[in-house]
Each structure stands twice: as C-alpha cells, then as structure tokens.
Amino acid sequence: MERFGLRDDQWDRIKDILPGREGHVGGTAADNRLFVEAILYRFRTGIPWRDLPAHFGYWKSVHQRFGRWAKTAFRSLGEEWGF
C-alpha cells in the first residue's frame, strides 16, 4: 500500500490545512492521514468506493466524509472566488 500512500514530507505540507484537525471548527478526526490515503487509493486505482480495502475503515463512512469534505472545499472556493 505504500506506493499509494503519502510520504511524510507530503503529509507535513498538508496536515495543518485539512478539516478535522486538532483545534479546527467541527469534529476532530481520528486519523486524517488514513482518510487522505484512502481517497488517494480510491482515485489512483479507480475502484468503486465499496471496494475500498477494510484497513481504511468502513467504505461508506469514508465516502460520506469525502462528500462533506468536498462540499466544504468547494463552498470555500466559491466564496473566495465570488461564485
């Protein structure tokens, strides 16, 4: 699985800007890195969400969290860009 995961230097660059981090408004995620790696794995392999390997967590929970995360990101971009 390492080839689909993040290197430590990549994780260090993004960990402080992700939702779900310690001190961020809303809930604190148990493992943001595992969530990001699950998304990367899913999109790099092209598998359906339901085929996500179990070590990433329950596929439906990962999918729902990704949906919320994406809506928040696009809403923020829309406000920033005036959409």
Side-chain angles (χ1 to χ4, degrees), residues 8 14-15 21-22 26 29 33 37 44-45 52 54 80 82:
D8 289 338
I14 66 169
K15 68 180 179 183
R21 67 187 178 277
E22 193 76 30
R33 184 172 184 162
E37 289 183 353
R44 286 178 177 168
T45 61
L52 195 66
E80 184 177 321

Side-chain angles (χ1 to χ4, degrees), residues 25-75:
V25 175
T28 301
D31 191 343
N32 257 353
R33 184 172 184 162
L34 187 62
F35 169 67
V36 171
E37 289 183 353
I39 293 169
L40 291 174
Y41 183 87
R42 192 269 175 189
F43 284 102
R44 286 178 177 168
T45 61
I47 61 170
W49 284 105
R50 67 186 170 280
D51 292 340
L52 195 66
H55 76 271
F56 289 119
Y58 181 51
W59 73 267
K60 202 166 199 172
S61 299
V62 176
H63 177 257
Q64 288 173 337
R65 183 173 173 200
F66 174 73
R68 289 191 307 266
W69 190 58
K71 285 178 190 174
T72 301
F74 285 115
R75 189 177 316 119

